[in-house]
Amino acid sequence: MLGHLALVLLAALVCGMIARRLGMPAMTGQLAAGVLLGPSLLGTVLPESLDFGDGDDLPLVSAVGTLGVVLLVGLAAVDLDGPFLRRRVKVVASVGLGSFAVPLATGVGAGLLIPQAMHGESTGTTEFALLLGTALSVSAIPVIARILTELDLLRKEIGQLTLATGTLTDIAAWVILAVVSAMTTSGLGGGRLPLTLGALVGVLVATAVLRRPVSRALDRLESSRHEGQTGGIVVLILIACAAITGALNLEPVLGAFLGGVMIGRRGDAVLAPLRAVTTWVLAPVFLAGAGLHLDLHLIADPVVAGVAAAVVLAAVVSKFVGTFVGARVAGVPRWDSAALGAGLNARGVVEIVIATAGLHMGVFSAEIYMIVVLLAVITSIMAGPWVAFCVARGAHAGPRTDIDDPDGADLDRVDLDRADEAPVPVVRTTEG
């Protein structure tokens, strides 16, 4: 069991480094490590020597991967930039609505058209279509943050707007995922719908009520002689919140995200060790474990290949168009709107989390799981060059007009060094 875990981690780290050297996100290589060890390649060539099954046969790998998901999502929520969201609420709302609603509707429509034979075994058409729409709607904050950093846009208004919008849309995605989870585990008939909605509202209200007390308690602990224990308390909160939402038949990922919101921003002395462990141990194991579920032989089926091409095209176009229109309505300049659409198209590890949840819930079949994972990889690779192209074209388009901001903030020249105005939500968990 430990040997399997060591082999999975070794393959993930090596493949991740190779991917980085090739100019791709580390997530791509770590996922490829699982594909390498799984049924797509070595699992077929050497089935007796590398008996990894589909990943579910390795409880230790699965458990480590689950902890990785909880910390990935929770630590991303810790960096939620509330002041920026409040300061630019109209712009963020307009861009967020377009970037989420359009691909959501597109994905739901595609889910209704995809043959029933490609649905999961334990789902109805409604759950399948809703979860596919959710998968098409998300954005990967870690991938986006890295792209913006490399392009020197992270501390600019366009970078902040991209991160804030991506975070907002992901909140909506976790909520819908929780609803789908409830629909598949307990159903929504027989009076369960009010219970499920009540549980969902309850955890959201509890988060709002407890956010300030929890954050203040952690502040006091962090400034005391027990500072070293703060990291353990943070992990405990994230796991406990995930367990609570899981017990309520809601997706545990939602609990992890809300736990991160309650924790709030912490100093590097607390979060840096957690991020390091997550980035170099837990996340690679999760991504490699996700790759173990991936059987690329399925793409040889012409029907599956056709559905894959249609889903990827629909996802990219709908995300870009929805974001672009929403940004233009809010007064964002044309090429900055295009850069937003390109950046928010990166779906990364967030997409893989949803795909894995869908597979485990029986909503996604192996074929749809493969398509959604491929979508995550393709969009994460293409987002960087696409954003760079849009930014370069915008630079040659002449002076930009400002976004309508009551504070008079300029899109290009906002000074984000003043911490009281707009803290930078840098997500450092993983490139995925």
Side-chain angles (χ1 to χ4, degrees):
M1 187 178 297
L2 288 174
H4 278 139
L5 178 61
L7 181 57
V8 168
L9 180 58
L10 174 63
L13 292 176
V14 171
C15 291
M17 288 187 288
I18 293 174
R20 288 290 303 278
R21 284 187 173 273
L22 295 176
M24 296 184 291
M27 175 211 76
T28 305
Q30 292 162 0
L31 182 68
V35 176
L36 180 70
L37 297 174
S40 296
L41 192 58
L42 295 183
T44 299
V45 177
L46 302 170
E48 296 182 358
S49 301
L50 293 172
D51 184 18
F52 283 94
D54 64 354
D56 289 332
D57 299 327
L58 303 175
L60 185 56
V61 172
S62 179
V64 173
T66 299
L67 180 59
V69 170
V70 169
L71 292 187
L72 272 171
V73 176
L75 291 177
V78 164
D79 281 313
L80 179 64
D81 190 354
F84 183 84
L85 285 171
R86 290 190 295 269
R87 188 169 66 89
R88 303 304 295 272
V89 60
K90 292 182 179 180
V91 179
V92 172
S94 180
V95 177
L97 180 62
S99 67
F100 185 79
V102 174
L104 176 65
T106 302
V108 170
L112 297 175
L113 295 175
I114 290 176
Q116 184 75 33
M118 295 182 66
H119 295 192
E121 297 180 355
S122 306
T123 185
T125 302
T126 301
E127 296 97 311
F128 175 81
L130 191 57
L131 190 59
L132 183 62
T134 304
L136 267 60
S137 304
V138 297
S139 299
I141 300 304
V143 173
I144 295 170
R146 180 165 187 82
I147 291 171
L148 295 172
T149 300
E150 292 175 350
L151 296 176
D152 195 27
L153 295 173
L154 189 63
R155 301 183 69 84
K156 301 289 183 64
E157 188 85 354
I158 184 66
Q160 292 285 283
L161 182 58
T162 304
L163 290 176
T165 304
T167 302
L168 190 65
T169 57
D170 284 354
I171 293 174
W174 299 135
V175 171
I176 295 178
L177 180 61
V179 173
V180 174
S181 176
M183 293 171 68
T184 56
T185 56
S186 61
L188 295 181
R192 291 192 180 95
L193 177 58
L195 293 176
T196 299
L197 294 178
L200 182 57
V201 172
V203 295
L204 294 175
V205 171
T207 301
V209 172
L210 296 175
R211 183 174 185 269
R212 191 175 297 275
V214 170
S215 181
R216 286 178 175 175
L218 289 173
D219 287 342
R220 288 194 294 269
L221 184 63
E222 193 174 349
S223 61
S224 70
R225 60 188 179 89
H226 301 293
E227 177 187 4
Q229 300 177 6
T230 309
I233 300 299
V234 167
V235 174
L236 175 62
I237 292 173
L238 296 178
I239 295 176
C241 290
I244 290 171
T245 53
L248 294 173
N249 291 320
L250 302 173
E251 179 59 33
V253 172
L254 175 64
F257 188 90
L258 296 178
V261 171
M262 286 193 293
I263 289 168
R265 296 188 174 195
R266 302 288 115 207
D268 283 342
V270 174
L271 295 184
L274 298 181
R275 288 193 172 106
V277 172
T278 302
T279 300
W280 297 110
V281 180
L282 302 179
V285 170
F286 164 70
L287 289 166
L292 291 174
H293 293 280
L294 203 61
D295 187 355
L296 295 180
H297 295 113
L298 298 172
I299 201 69
D301 186 332
V303 175
V304 176
V307 171
V311 168
V312 171
L313 180 61
V316 172
V317 172
S318 63
K319 188 75 166 180
F320 180 82
V321 171
T323 303
F324 184 86
V325 172
R328 293 296 288 153
V329 168
V332 180
R334 182 179 61 175
W335 283 108
D336 290 320
S337 299
L340 280 167
L344 291 172
N345 244 300
R347 290 169 172 86
V349 72
V350 179
E351 180 99 310
I352 296 175
V353 170
I354 292 180
T356 303
L359 184 67
H360 287 161
M361 290 188 295
V363 176
F364 285 166
S365 63
E367 292 85 355
I368 297 300
Y369 173 80
M370 178 200 65
I371 291 171
V372 174
V373 171
L374 287 178
L375 172 62
V377 174
I378 292 171
T379 54
S380 296
I381 293 174
M382 68 185 290
W386 195 359
V387 172
F389 171 79
C390 294
V391 171
R393 289 300 300 268
H396 290 92
R400 298 169 177 171
T401 57
D402 297 346
I403 297 177
D404 182 18
D405 187 343
D407 296 330
D410 186 293
L411 185 64
D412 288 319
R413 297 183 295 276
V414 172
D415 180 7
L416 295 178
D417 292 327
R418 291 172 290 178
D420 60 328
E421 289 189 10
V424 180
V426 182
V427 180
R428 295 173 288 250
T429 51
T430 176
E431 287 85 359

